[in-house]
Amino acid sequence: MGLAMTSVFAFGSVGTLVFSLAGKDIATQAVNGLALTISDRMSEGDVVKFGDGTSGKVMKIGWLETKLRTFDDLLVTIPNTQLGTQRVCNMSRIVMCRVRPTLHFRFSDADKVPRVLEDIQEEIKKSCPELITDGSRP
């Protein structure tokens, strides 16, 4: 009878250990999910970019995972434990942005470049009356 009780206690101890280790990950994900829900880092519908390079539109912030729709129209599920330790750049909350286009011209069209650049500048000034051109910040 002593041997059987020892086996039961050993089995119970191993079961408790397995359950506690599995529960730890679920609890961590749930706490990170709660933190994401409460924090103002991102909301459903925001376009974000994470520190690991993943970017897209936040479709759902759950307790255990967050669903993101990438620009390739893929649905990516990210565990909240990963999001809790990453930087989040919320592109939906950018007030201003900087545009640095690269224009390509043929060498044969080099004489037309000054006029094209003037036309581009005039169009930008018309469509963006609050354009900052001196490098200062508002």
Side-chain angles (χ1 to χ4, degrees):
M1 184 79 168
L3 183 62
M5 290 303 287
T6 305
S7 299
V8 169
F9 285 131
F11 181 73
S13 298
V14 170
T16 302
L17 178 65
V18 169
F19 183 74
S20 64
L21 290 175
K24 176 184 162 272
D25 290 337
I26 292 172
T28 304
Q29 286 181 340
V31 168
N32 283 333
L34 180 64
L36 282 174
T37 303
I38 292 173
S39 75
D40 197 30
R41 292 171 65 186
M42 62 183 170
S43 302
E44 291 180 6
D46 286 353
V47 176
V48 296
K49 181 176 182 181
F50 297 116
D52 66 355
T54 307
S55 60
K57 184 177 183 179
V58 178
M59 302 307 290
K60 183 171 181 5
I61 300 174
W63 284 92
L64 302 178
E65 60 193 18
T66 298
K67 295 187 181 201
L68 190 74
R69 173 90 48 202
T70 66
F71 300 119
D72 297 334
D73 206 31
L74 298 172
L75 189 62
V76 178
T77 302
I78 306 169
N80 288 337
T81 52
Q82 289 181 5
L83 295 182
T85 60
Q86 288 190 39
R87 283 190 225 174
V88 177
C89 181
N90 194 330
M91 310 300 267
S92 297
R93 298 182 186 174
I94 293 176
V95 177
M96 288 186 235
C97 67
R98 182 179 194 172
V99 179
R100 300 182 92 181
T102 302
L103 304 175
H104 299 278
F105 295 95
R106 290 190 192 114
F107 186 72
S108 60
D109 294 333
D111 58 332
K112 299 176 186 175
V113 170
R115 181 66 192 147
V116 170
L117 292 177
E118 288 175 13
D119 290 345
I120 292 172
Q121 285 178 340
E122 288 177 29
E123 184 65 33
I124 291 173
K125 285 179 183 177
K126 279 195 287 185
S127 61
C128 303
E130 297 179 19
L131 182 68
I132 300 170
T133 57
D134 62 359
S136 64
R137 297 183 74 85

